[in-house]
Amino acid sequence: MKKEQWYPGNMARAMRQLGADLKLMDLVVELLDARVPISSRNPALSRLIGDRDCLILLHKADRAEPAVTARWLSYFQRQDLQAVPFSVFAPAAYKTFHQTLKSRAAQMGPSRLKKPLRLMITGIPNVGKSTLINLLVKKAAARTGNRPGITRGRQWIRLMPGIELLDTPGVLWPNLSAETAVPLAVVGALPPSRLDIQNLALWLLNFYRQRGFEELLLKRYALPSWDEPEAVLERIGAGQGCLQSAGKIDLDRAAALLLRDFQSGTLGRLTLEEPPV
């Protein structure tokens, strides 16, 4: 199976730093995309986390199919991993996460009253980690300065009394397979420029057809009927004004529009990966 190299030197350094930082953590929050939980889970990071206390957040659950998300929750439970659906756009989900953090801090016991629970939020690039951290910081946070054992310049953020967060960069792993890179690019976790954007769009159109969800696209783009993916992409381009000179359809623009609509949830809720049996 052909593999792509997505692992620049800065990510190798980030992984080494994460390994060192993890030794100081009381809780690791692993952020996955609910639409692609397997592809968005960094196996190298999971090995680093090991048996440390970990909470999995299935982020963007508001754009995934609820029934499939429920199966993913059961899957992680069978792996003895705590997982919860989450979206920064769902106040109830944020409140549940907030309460979970408070409960974890309370469980640290009286001996920890003067030492806050140390938390790390991890995930691949563009999975929504920065959005979540910004939300947490905006709610109630103040930078607390350097802490012993942390590389100079790295900052802890006080999220609430008794809980502090260390911000970390998103990290990929080397040699992504096509089976992983394509769904990651479709959900926006990888730059589409590294793959053929039309092929990504055709892959997504095929997926809608396989799941029997063509009606969502027919309605969104006012298409009269379904056809082969190439023809559907052309119709989307024509209907959405993705035209070049002499009226030629700009298929790259049509593909980019389709991917943006899917990533934003405009095309309805769809999960691209089922849990292993």
Side-chain angles (χ1 to χ4, degrees):
M1 176 58 63
K2 183 179 178 182
K3 296 190 176 183
E4 280 279 354
Q5 178 56 256
W6 303 87
Y7 202 69
N10 65 312
M11 288 198 182
R13 291 190 295 273
M15 283 297 292
R16 290 194 294 270
Q17 185 62 60
L18 275 173
D21 292 343
L22 278 167
K23 298 175 183 177
L24 303 169
M25 297 300 136
D26 300 306
L27 175 65
V28 180
V29 176
E30 191 176 4
L31 202 62
L32 308 181
D33 190 309
R35 298 165 296 180
V36 286
I38 288 293
S39 292
S40 62
R41 195 171 196 211
N42 185 338
L45 180 57
S46 297
R47 287 193 291 271
L48 280 178
I49 293 173
D51 58 0
R52 290 180 177 83
D53 195 9
C54 180
L55 172 65
I56 293 174
L57 289 187
L58 293 177
H59 190 28
K60 302 181 183 178
D62 57 323
R63 301 173 190 177
E65 297 168 66
V68 183
T69 297
R71 291 197 287 274
W72 275 109
L73 296 177
S74 297
Y75 166 79
F76 285 118
Q77 186 177 29
R78 293 195 300 270
Q79 312 302 311
D80 294 322
L81 293 169
Q82 183 183 4
V84 295
F86 184 78
S87 171
V88 294
F89 301 109
Y94 171 78
K95 184 177 180 180
T96 298
F97 177 52
H98 191 274
Q99 288 299 123
T100 299
L101 293 184
K102 290 177 66 175
S103 297
R104 291 296 184 101
Q107 291 168 8
M108 300 304 295
S111 62
R112 290 294 303 267
L113 288 178
K114 294 185 179 181
K115 184 179 179 184
L117 178 144
R118 287 177 167 179
L119 166 71
M120 176 189 287
I121 298 178
T122 65
I124 64 173
N126 303 316
V127 76
K129 186 172 65 69
S130 296
T131 303
L132 171 58
I133 291 174
N134 289 340
L135 176 65
L136 292 170
V137 170
K138 187 176 181 180
K139 291 289 184 178
R143 291 192 177 275
T144 60
N146 296 334
R147 284 289 187 269
I150 297 297
T151 303
R152 184 177 179 182
R154 294 170 73 77
Q155 296 288 313
W156 288 92
I157 302 169
R158 182 179 295 116
L159 297 182
M160 61 189 79
I163 302 178
E164 292 184 357
L165 164 73
L166 179 66
D167 194 3
T168 61
V171 287
L172 286 171
W173 59 102
N175 301 320
L176 293 181
S177 68
E179 286 85 350
T180 298
V182 169
L184 286 181
V186 167
V187 300
L190 288 180
S193 59
R194 296 294 299 272
L195 295 166
D196 185 286
I197 194 168
Q198 291 184 41
N199 284 341
L200 292 176
L202 295 176
W203 184 93
L204 181 60
L205 289 171
N206 263 319
F207 197 89
Y208 271 93
R209 177 67 182 88
Q210 291 167 9
R211 294 297 309 279
F213 289 168
E214 308 98 312
E215 189 63 34
L216 294 172
L217 301 182
L218 296 177
K219 182 177 180 180
R220 169 68 179 88
Y221 299 116
L223 302 176
S225 62
W226 193 261
D227 204 332
E228 292 300 314
E230 292 82 358
V232 173
L233 185 60
E234 288 189 8
R235 290 174 184 171
I236 291 174
Q240 299 299 309
C242 301
L243 303 176
Q244 298 174 327
S245 58
K248 184 178 179 180
I249 299 172
D250 189 334
L251 293 177
D252 280 351
R253 280 181 59 198
L257 182 148
L258 174 69
L259 292 174
R260 284 197 304 270
D261 281 350
F262 169 72
Q263 291 162 11
S264 68
T266 303
L267 300 181
R269 301 173 73 154
L270 183 68
T271 304
L272 304 180
E273 293 178 343
E274 287 275 354
V277 178

